Amino acid sequence: MAEIRSIYTDKRKNDIRRRADYVEGAAVRKLQTRENPERRQRRQRRVHTSRRGSEKTQRMGLGYVLFLSAACALTLWVCAGYLQLQADNTARVKNIASLESQLTDLKQENDDEYNRVVTSVDLEKIRDIAINELGMVYAQEDQVVLYDSEGSDYVRQYADIPEEESGLKELLGTISR
């Protein structure tokens, strides 16, 4: 296939040479090569389009220049604002991290102090002082009053508890209603 192609290309070259070698008339003239009209048109188009481009750049008006300048200034202002916001965000993140670190340290100190206080309390010593020095006695069974609460572990006493059982039942009955 490659040989066939080369034969065709050789024939084309020979045809071009024959046309160029053609002599008209008895006297041999100087060989004048004609330029292909398509090439001439292309060349003229290139020149013409390049002139148009230069004319456009020369015709750039004041309004267009001001518009481009304003667009560039606005773009720079937006970029600067974005960078400022990013810097503020980074500073806040660092501040939050340092505050979290302080909070962790304070919690650790608080837990350590609480554990120190809890371990330093001797409940047997407190019981001994309360019974022997302050005269505390354990409650008798008839002194303990039990009642149902309404879901809360916290109890408020609004009045003195009466000494008699009947008065106590009436008081508890009015409170629970």
Side-chain angles (χ1 to χ4, degrees):
M1 196 76 170
E3 293 172 308
I4 295 172
R5 286 187 187 161
S6 65
I7 292 170
Y8 289 125
T9 54
D10 288 342
K11 281 186 179 180
R12 239 185 267 149
K13 287 180 186 176
N14 289 336
D15 287 343
I16 293 171
R17 284 187 198 146
R18 282 186 202 145
R19 285 187 214 144
D21 293 340
Y22 182 77
V23 178
E24 193 176 315
V28 177
R29 294 187 213 164
K30 241 182 175 178
L31 184 63
Q32 293 180 355
T33 57
R34 283 188 288 166
E35 194 174 319
N36 192 355
E38 290 178 13
R39 274 189 178 173
R40 189 179 309 143
Q41 287 176 355
R42 282 188 218 146
R43 196 176 291 156
Q44 285 175 353
R45 285 184 201 152
R46 282 188 209 145
V47 171
H48 189 64
T49 54
S50 64
R51 284 183 192 158
R52 277 191 213 156
S54 63
E55 289 172 2
K56 276 187 178 179
T57 56
Q58 291 172 357
R59 285 189 283 153
M60 205 164 50
L62 180 64
Y64 188 65
V65 170
L66 289 176
F67 169 74
L68 286 179
S69 300
C72 289
L74 180 66
T75 303
L76 288 174
W77 182 71
V78 167
C79 289
Y82 176 74
L83 290 175
Q84 181 64 35
L85 287 174
Q86 198 171 21
D88 290 346
N89 192 24
T90 303
R92 286 188 178 124
V93 166
K94 286 182 180 180
N95 187 26
I96 288 170
S98 69
L99 290 174
E100 285 176 347
S101 174
Q102 287 178 359
L103 178 66
T104 304
D105 293 343
L106 289 174
K107 280 184 177 181
Q108 183 64 36
E109 287 177 17
N110 193 24
D111 290 344
D112 291 343
E113 188 65 24
Y114 176 76
N115 289 336
R116 187 188 64 78
V117 168
V118 167
T119 56
S120 70
V121 173
D122 185 14
L123 295 177
E124 284 299 317
K125 185 176 179 183
I126 292 173
R127 182 182 152 283
D128 185 46
I129 291 173
I131 292 174
N132 295 333
E133 293 179 18
L134 300 175
M136 183 187 91
V137 292
Y138 283 104
Q140 303 293 323
E141 276 194 41
D142 60 340
Q143 293 175 327
V144 177
V145 177
L146 299 175
Y147 64 95
D148 294 331
S149 65
E150 296 176 4
S152 175
D153 292 338
Y154 185 74
V155 178
R156 266 196 191 167
Q157 181 177 346
Y158 293 109
D160 290 334
I161 298 175
E163 295 290 327
E164 309 165 1
E165 273 189 42
S166 63
L168 182 62
K169 287 181 183 176
E170 289 174 10
L171 180 65
L172 291 176
T174 58
I175 292 175
S176 64
R177 290 184 201 162

